[in-house]
Amino acid sequence: MTEVQAVRHFVRLSQLNYSVDTGFFPLGSCTMKFNPKVNEWAARLPGFAGAHPLLPTEQSQGVLELMYRLERSLSEIAGLHATSLEPAAGAQGELAGLMVIRAWHMDKHGTPRKKVLIPDSAHGTNPASAALLGYQAVELKSNSKGVLEPATVAAAMDEDVACLMMTNPNTLGIFEEHVEEICRIVHEKGGQVYGDGANMNALLGVARPGDMGIDVMHYNLHKTFSTPHGGGGPGSGPVAVAEHLAPYLPRPIVVKEGDTYRLDFDQPMSVGKLRTFWGNFGMHLRAYAYIRELGPEGLHAASRLAVLNAQYIRALIEDEWDVAYEGRSLHEVVYTDKKLKETGVTTMDVAKALIDHGYHPPTVYFPLIVPGALMVEPTETETKETLENFAAAMKAIAAQAREEPAAIKAMPQKPVVERLDETRAARKPVLRWSPGFDVGA
Amino acid sequence: MTEVQAVRHFVRLSQLNYSVDTGFFPLGSCTMKFNPKVNEWAARLPGFAGAHPLLPTEQSQGVLELMYRLERSLSEIAGLHATSLEPAAGAQGELAGLMVIRAWHMDKHGTPRKKVLIPDSAHGTNPASAALLGYQAVELKSNSKGVLEPATVAAAMDEDVACLMMTNPNTLGIFEEHVEEICRIVHEKGGQVYGDGANMNALLGVARPGDMGIDVMHYNLHKTFSTPHGGGGPGSGPVAVAEHLAPYLPRPIVVKEGDTYRLDFDQPMSVGKLRTFWGNFGMHLRAYAYIRELGPEGLHAASRLAVLNAQYIRALIEDEWDVAYEGRSLHEVVYTDKKLKETGVTTMDVAKALIDHGYHPPTVYFPLIVPGALMVEPTETETKETLENFAAAMKAIAAQAREEPAAIKAMPQKPVVERLDETRAARKPVLRWSPGFDVGA
Amino acid sequence: MRYLPHTESDIQEMLQKIGVKSLDELFSTVPASLRLNRALAVEPSLDERALMDHLEALASKQPKGAPFLGAGANPHHVPPSVDQLLLRGELYTAYTPYQPEIAQGTLQITFEFQTFVTLLTGLEIANASMYDGASAAAEAALMAVRISGGKRTKVVVSKALHPEYRDVVRTYHTEGFDVVEVPFGADGRTDMAALEAAIDENTAGVLVGYPNFFGVVEDLGAIAKLAQAKGAIAISCTTEALAFGLLQSPGAQGIDVAVGEMQSFGNGLNFGGPGLGFFATREKFLRQFPGRVAGATVDKTGKRGFVLTLSTREQHIRREKATSNICTNHGLNATAATIHLSMLGRHGLKALALLNYRRARYAREQLAAAGLKPLFSGPVFNEFAVRAPSDAIARITKAGLSGGLPLGRYYPELGDGLLLCVTELHDKARIDALIAALA
Amino acid sequence: MRYLPHTESDIQEMLQKIGVKSLDELFSTVPASLRLNRALAVEPSLDERALMDHLEALASKQPKGAPFLGAGANPHHVPPSVDQLLLRGELYTAYTPYQPEIAQGTLQITFEFQTFVTLLTGLEIANASMYDGASAAAEAALMAVRISGGKRTKVVVSKALHPEYRDVVRTYHTEGFDVVEVPFGADGRTDMAALEAAIDENTAGVLVGYPNFFGVVEDLGAIAKLAQAKGAIAISCTTEALAFGLLQSPGAQGIDVAVGEMQSFGNGLNFGGPGLGFFATREKFLRQFPGRVAGATVDKTGKRGFVLTLSTREQHIRREKATSNICTNHGLNATAATIHLSMLGRHGLKALALLNYRRARYAREQLAAAGLKPLFSGPVFNEFAVRAPSDAIARITKAGLSGGLPLGRYYPELGDGLLLCVTELHDKARIDALIAALA
């Protein structure tokens, strides 16, 4: 294709996408906040975009200094000792964190232990990561308020348990108020506590996982620190650890000696390498820019306003939409489709109706413990007016569901395609163009 | 507005525009060719974007060298002696060219003379520019083949005529085959010939205005040399002149002395300054990049393929669409709505119907001498397939006009608004937002 | 070939359909005597990477960092957000919005631009932009003559107006009017007594800078009164539109036409072009004012939309009777300014103007302390003139900085004057470096 | 505050509607003992301009120009057209396309990416990308074990595979399999006799580079036969995907799984990340292969559309039974590669690969003439190792150039080896400068 053909093709395709730059994207747990444009500018500086990972230390000072400064910020925000920037995404950060715990157990107890405790509200990556390392995932039930009881943990905790993985605030958006006691229980049996950092956007400058007793956590820079999601990555999942776990971090780490920054490969206890080179530097620099843009006050304000926005929507639609758990939630709120039960309209139908109202749907059917879950996370970068318009759409859909359920079920009508046949896609997979390509018209 | 609000607002607005980057734009006389992306990259180099026009010569060598190289290229392409890059757009280039002619007459004949001869197929800017300098515009009729006859010029030519303004190929896309003789006639009476460069895209490396006898011409860098149209500028309208007119060019000009480039203000005969500083450098650099991208062979190929594309459309739709003048045309073709007369469908209706077919309409009702004119200029950057699809749409519209004229008259339906009430806009002008702003819904 | 999509077989098929044998035959109407028959003697083609290397080499010859120099091309921060929005092809590869249904983006942005111009100038109507401040000033002078029905033929111009603007006004005056210049005083403002004396019943318009070329803020209210007392149109011309963030608007001071340059918002310097001329005036001159303008209307279903309007004033309709010969304006530059102003908002605009004012004041005070006294006593915004040593430019260049305009270039009588500009691009360290270089 | 749109009155109205008195009260469920109650000790906020100056200062510490170094991060020309398309917010600020109706752009691009991967590798199916070449290699090893139903637990890896890739494969092997390494010969290729000896009935997969870490092109056909003779899966791993423009595809040589790094297309170096892992295999492994995948289907009206499919293999459905724990992939990098490959086309790809090959050959020949002999005798593409003086890096740096990897870092036995890479970014002048520095 010539340049003009390619430009037209991809411009046209881009216009078929919904994105943060085109509208409100309240996708729970994904933290679709605004991606500042200065960060994209920074990422294109030739010194950064053209930096080769294997040049000598003296030819890498600019990029290493940036990584070092980011590492210090992330450790401070987590209240932990050190952070490895290496993991490519949250799931790899999780894997790295579990490997660190595993290595620590091997070192300290001569065994990796066998089990990992995971609350029923956890992300799907948690059990998958545990399984990848050969751990048996043990599910813990949350109580009727949506939080984990110390007694539940105590009952499951024994010396076969390598760690407890928890998300705080959890995937219901609720702060695990017993976190300190839970950590104490796990630690007493020689276990470690892994904190999934997916929901850190609620806590910046408010509270720190390290202060709660959490030993390891990963960040999602593409959530909390505004690096763009890219239609499916790249992400970046730095893993922060308490001091006793620092020797096990993936290698290398960035250190500062005098005025010089260098990669330190001399980590004999390290779990090794999870990927080539030193992490997704392209994302590091955006996250670093974001942290410097906001500073301490800005980060704190971001979390407070993220929570304010979520609670404001909750207050606006509380008469029409059932909240899964009654207690105070923070930066996201999980609704159920209970009030629509008799109409036959499902959570998926609501999601598709929101598309026709001009919004990206919330996360649906997650967490799994909530029937027909709709998980709304507005983030702090949305205006009061946007939240009010969204709330109005949610109410309108609830009303229309009662009056014209069939109309809701026919949505969306506005996008370029209607609901797609996913079963056909999976049963007769067509995964590439080919001369005989003829799916649909 | 915060950055996110502004981004969404302008992204949304942008998506309401048709553009070269979204589709075929066969707007006659406007040369909507592809705008190479490397040129946009170049325009953002800090050394260019941040260059101040009043720094000392030694701090301006990069930009001056570029301007000098562009000036040399434009003079060579025109077959003329020197080019001033100063005019901000074609219309200002025209004005500058006429001023140069006027100053030359004053110098040589002690009078600016009174009249300017302008063929009936000319651009509207030609008489407007002439009038601005106090000249009386005298219209010359083209012959039945759409070209200017030497006899017509001879009849109108006297010693009160400052110049003849002509476009070649003219706005019918037809080469003025008598141009040499016409120039001789004008010159014999002491007049000058001004060449409107709007249609230079037909002639790059094929023939040169200077070789035809033309004394002055302006370029539209935003047509021939692919600088983007920007939704209405900025353009750039360099004016090239024969040697005898060079002393009158706007001041300053760029000169090279040894390895140094500088602005030469020492032009006592100059017509003066038409604008601040030294021209639309932002456009100069894009045009220069374009010329360097294509080189001599590429420029020649561009004109040959531009003509090929226009003639191919003509061949594809010749049974359905009446061409205004029968003879061979070059890079653009003017059609009439004659064959639709009995249907009641007008040229404007055809234009609006093309919108629903996914195309930008051609130029309509221009040139004025063609009733219901539709002026199609595809440019060289379009594929054969695009031209065939467009031709199919033109045929489909002709057919539908006969069968369902009312459907055509209701078009366009696909854009965000239907046909707008232009009379209301002019009668009750609302030219800005205000607290009571309430036009429409 | 790059950008040219045709394969050899495409070309052959197309020629066949057209009914000719070769590409050359398409040009059969061009007389043989006029055919070039050789390659153009332009430089050879470069591949994309080589072209980029070549252009980078040229760009890298330019000095780095923001110059301490405005004079109608003011160095300001262009937010990456503005620049990235401008890179959207839908905006920059669109044409003038003659087909409004598929140009609502450009049209609404134009409408918003007009709104911003009226808000900044305190006037009622504005056009969709002009080439630059100087051509806007010249068009204002032409309009003043037009308003008098051609009966008044003189335009009085302050000598403290930007010299290039005065040049351009003179260039445009060929037939329409005479230009009379009025001197400035020790405060750097237009000499009011001389101005009063110059304005008479033949004066169509009075044109002054605001701030003027020396960065000095004129007393527009008094000037407007003098002009209007003789039935002339009062025109202010602003080369640094950011000043509107802090100064009282021209409209509020009684000015009839406010023109100038708005490159400061969202546009780089680009060696002085393209600029962004703005033109605002009173509603009563609606049918007289030049340039393109967008207006709101409705479609057939009553839905709001925007169109280019009042085009009966324009050349493509009026031809030789048009109010101006302008066709292409500077739409993309206006788009940049509109985006930037939207992001700034009223509060951000004021804050940015204040930051400029404070930094310039700091520089002025420190320079004065270092012995570089102000040239003029009048109030200033972010530009000001000082008395400087004769080797000032050499010292500045040696310090790795750039800028400062020796006023002798335009005003031989101000030989030791150096015009400086300080904006948000000049942080304290950079200002201190300038002072160290000049002290 | 920047990016935070709330005014003070917005906040008060919102708090009132919620029914709390302060922002602090929103956090009432966070125990007081856990509240931070101080500002985070992170660096202070910078305004946008100051931030840009700071980041530019950091970036400017890096060397200029393309390094003579690949080793899995290959310096290539990224056309501005690719970069500018990537700046479209609709592409880079979208999420993973879980709502297909409003993500057809991302989904179709993913589908096109998968198509390109199958075309380049000569295999039948490909996923939507992985983190990088190394994790793709590790996932391929895991898949080989999975295909054997867990019965085979050994993976044989060539020592001429990228050392970091071998590291990563080892890191992933914790429970699933053992890694056995096989040496390379004097030609820089995997030692075939040793390889044959290492493969047994417990071998799940055999993994080699193509070209390998030394830039040497392995005999994939022979390797595939050795692996398959023992029922093992043959895996090739390519760190420089541009080589596919010139070399025979892995699929055509009988390879079962082709993985590697595709950063070379449309992506910068970015200090080594993000990369763009690709993963292609035979259709019969459709239900076993890892990662996200897009497929074509129809909507209710029969119109074609794209969806993520085969997700029953993925963690958000399968949780601990998933084929991989990968959730986010490298979609935007895949988009960049898709755009670049679209523009290159078959012809452009081949031309670009040939240009790389020729320039590298010129450099090799000139280096050899200057006394820097090739380290290996095997055929190469655009990377190659030479015997270099011990101060080679110092000389290169002194010449204002960068790159060359001392092989001793990873292979102590190759102490005088220097790995070099030459691409379209290195013109003759730059190559000659390198040779002059090393001669």
Side-chain angles (χ1 to χ4, degrees), chain C residues 348-367:
Chain C
L349 175 65
K350 190 174 171 183
L352 182 60
L354 209 55
L355 178 64
N356 272 250
Y357 175 74
R358 286 185 179 142
R359 289 198 171 172
R361 188 177 59 189
Y362 170 78
R364 272 188 292 132
E365 288 169 357
Q366 297 297 311
L367 282 166

Side-chain angles (χ1 to χ4, degrees), chain A residues 1 6 9-10 13-14 16-21 27 30 32 35-38 40-41 44 47-55 59-63 65 69 76 88-89 91-92 99 102 127-129 131 133 175 180 202 205-208 228-234 265 273-282 288 292-294 296 298 304 307 309 311 328 330 352 361 368 380-382 384 415-421 425-426 429-433 437 439-441, chain D residues 1-6 13-15 18 20 23-24 26-29 31 33-36 38 40-41 43-46 51-52 54-56 58-59 61-63 69-71 73 83 88-90 92-96 99 101-106 108 111-112 114-115 118 124 131-132 164-165 168 171-172 174-175 269-274 286-287 294-304 306-307 309 315 319-320 325 328-333 342-343 401 403 409-410:
Chain A
M1 276 200 264
H9 177 68
F10 291 104
L13 287 181
S14 78
L16 305 181
N17 269 5
Y18 196 96
S19 64
V20 174
D21 276 7
L27 195 67
C30 296
M32 300 298 286
N35 306 127
K37 303 310 169 201
V38 65
E40 296 306 310
W41 168 87
R44 284 159 173 85
F48 292 148
H52 196 285
L54 294 174
L55 292 184
Q59 288 184 316
S60 305
Q61 287 298 295
V63 290
E65 179 176 342
R69 286 169 175 249
E76 160 68 8
Q92 202 175 56
M99 282 179 170
R102 188 178 186 283
S129 297
L133 291 180
F175 192 84
E180 272 187 291
V206 173
R208 308 192 305 169
H229 285 74
F265 291 86
K273 283 196 72 57
L274 281 156
R275 50 161 299 154
T276 35
F277 311 124
W278 335 124
N280 283 351
F281 175 79
Y288 175 68
R292 293 308 307 273
E293 282 151 21
L294 269 67
R304 285 152 66 98
V307 172
N309 277 1
Q311 296 314 307
R328 180 168 303 292
L330 295 179
K352 300 305 182 190
L368 303 177
E380 69 279 8
T381 55
E382 299 299 331
K384 181 167 171 282
V416 68
V417 287
E418 296 190 28
R419 294 194 203 185
L420 290 154
D421 186 345
V430 178
L431 308 183
R432 60 165 179 166
W433 298 102
F437 185 71
V439 178
Chain D
M1 193 171 277
R2 200 150 34 140
Y3 313 136
L4 304 177
H6 303 67
E13 285 170 38
M14 293 165 81
L15 290 172
I18 294 166
V20 294
L23 289 170
D24 276 341
L26 293 172
F27 293 89
S28 60
T29 52
S33 61
L34 295 181
R35 306 275 185 101
L36 186 58
R38 65 163 172 86
L40 285 167
E43 297 174 277
S45 171
L46 294 173
L51 177 68
M52 288 167 75
H54 168 60
L55 292 169
E56 267 188 323
L58 287 179
K61 292 183 182 179
Q62 295 296 124
L69 180 52
D83 188 57
R88 291 184 63 82
E90 297 96 318
Y92 81 88
T93 75
Y95 192 69
T96 305
Q99 294 290 345
E101 299 89 348
I102 48 175
Q104 286 297 302
T106 293
Q108 183 172 334
F111 189 80
E112 293 177 4
Q114 293 167 187
T115 305
T118 60
E124 291 148 8
Y131 300 141
D132 63 6
E164 299 230 345
Y165 285 50
V168 173
T171 305
Y172 272 73
T174 327
E175 288 290 317
L269 295 174
N270 296 306
F271 204 43
L286 184 65
R287 308 281 160 180
T297 185
V298 292
D299 75 1
K300 292 193 300 181
T301 69
K303 189 171 179 189
R304 188 182 66 213
F306 301 91
V307 292
T309 189
Q315 43 72 21
R319 297 175 74 89
E320 71 276 14
N325 84 326
T328 301
N329 59 356
H330 280 192
L332 196 65
N333 306 91
S342 299
M343 289 187 186
L401 303 170
R409 173 169 178 166
Y410 295 113

Side-chain angles (χ1 to χ4, degrees), chain D residues 193-209:
Chain D
L195 184 67
E196 184 165 14
I199 304 171
D200 59 22
E201 304 298 331
N202 190 34
T203 302
V206 174
L207 174 59
V208 300

